[in-house]
Amino acid sequence: MPSKFSFTHYEIEVAARAAIDALSKHGLKACLVGGAACMMYGMTHRVPNDVDIVVLTEMGQEAIKSLIASSNSRFYLRSSINPANTFKILWYTLSYRRSCKVDILVPGILSIPKIPVEKISYRVHGVFYKDIPLAPFLVVLFLKLRAWTDHRVDHRQHMRDKVGMDEQDIDELLELGAQEYGISLVNQGKWFPKDFVQETKGRLQEYIKEQPETLGSWRSLGF
């Protein structure tokens, strides 16, 4: 049964490792994005309530979920509580009555670019995580910015309620990018598709308009 409780850093890592391991058994490369990637890169203001994984394949999301569920008995699929949704939701059993949702994403949706395998990151603050691959830092940040713009205009109140959390995530990532990793668009964004960068710059203008105090941080990243 899905958990309604907060997760620990360790629990998010366990769920992420299990999903990556299941995918690896089938030769599929993947990397974390979203809150789980933010956490691994050093975000401290919160622990995410799910794991978002981009699978670098042309397979469909539902087929990937089924593959993972068939590879490890701790994973299971459930229908959405919204009867209009035909997709299944993938959960990982942490313990009795505690499960973590694992969202499966693929390039081409939600502005996710095709990430070259060699650009996947396994090192954070000098620590090597061979079993927790992360999307490049700027990809994680840009997708967070996409989430912020989407949540602001969503017709569902519970989605609009995520805007404040998105802003905290983005602001902490900006600080980490500049102070901890020395990230810039020049040194990490050379392979980015042009439309990915252009879309991000449009969202960035909107963000700076709402959060003008972040202008300096964005400039430090090469914008």
Side-chain angles (χ1 to χ4, degrees):
M1 178 181 295
S3 173
K4 295 181 180 180
F5 301 99
S6 298
F7 297 116
T8 64
H9 191 296
Y10 174 74
E11 287 175 322
I12 293 296
E13 284 193 25
V14 167
R17 282 191 171 97
I20 294 296
D21 179 67
L23 291 165
S24 297
K25 289 177 180 177
H26 295 277
L28 294 174
K29 297 291 186 180
C31 54
L32 271 60
V33 292
C38 294
M39 181 191 77
M40 293 303 300
Y41 273 121
M43 180 181 76
T44 59
H45 80 91
R46 72 179 181 95
V47 175
N49 56 10
D50 61 10
V51 174
D52 295 327
I53 297 177
V54 173
V55 185
L56 306 180
T57 179
E58 295 183 359
M59 287 179 62
Q61 291 164 274
E62 298 308 301
I64 298 170
K65 294 175 192 177
S66 296
L67 192 67
I68 293 174
S70 67
S71 302
N72 185 330
S73 61
R74 297 185 76 92
F75 285 101
Y76 61 95
L77 296 168
R78 287 288 183 269
S79 298
S80 170
I81 59 174
N82 184 345
N85 295 332
T86 59
F87 59 81
K88 297 291 186 179
I89 300 174
L90 182 65
W91 296 89
Y92 178 77
T93 304
L94 291 164
S95 59
Y96 180 64
R97 298 182 69 85
R98 283 180 66 79
S99 295
C100 177
K101 183 162 68 74
V102 178
D103 288 330
I104 298 300
L105 306 166
V106 293
I109 66 170
L110 300 176
S111 301
I112 298 172
K114 292 182 179 180
I115 302 170
V117 172
E118 65 271 17
K119 298 300 181 181
I120 293 175
S121 176
Y122 294 87
R123 189 176 296 277
V124 179
H125 296 302
V127 179
F128 183 68
Y129 293 90
K130 66 177 181 179
D131 50 0
I132 305 185
L134 305 176
F137 188 93
L138 282 185
V139 172
V140 175
L141 176 59
F142 288 3
L143 294 180
K144 263 294 167 184
L145 192 60
R146 161 70 191 256
W148 175 81
T149 56
D150 288 351
H151 290 155
R152 292 184 74 215
V153 298
D154 199 291
H155 69 280
R156 296 163 294 180
Q157 183 61 50
H158 74 278
M159 298 301 284
R160 295 197 301 275
D161 288 342
K162 294 184 178 183
V163 169
M165 179 184 69
D166 292 333
E167 292 172 351
Q168 291 182 68
D169 291 353
I170 290 169
D171 290 351
E172 189 163 2
L173 285 177
L174 285 173
E175 183 177 347
L176 286 167
Q179 299 183 12
E180 297 291 332
Y181 296 106
I183 297 293
S184 75
L185 188 59
V186 173
N187 65 28
Q188 197 177 86
K190 293 180 180 179
W191 64 270
F192 289 174
K194 289 183 179 180
D195 57 347
F196 181 55
V197 176
Q198 288 304 117
E199 287 179 12
T200 298
K201 287 182 176 180
R203 297 184 186 107
L204 174 57
Q205 294 304 314
E206 184 180 350
Y207 192 82
I208 291 174
K209 182 178 179 180
E210 295 295 323
Q211 305 289 331
E213 69 279 3
T214 66
L215 176 59
S217 296
W218 286 107
R219 283 180 173 171
S220 70
L221 297 183
F223 292 91

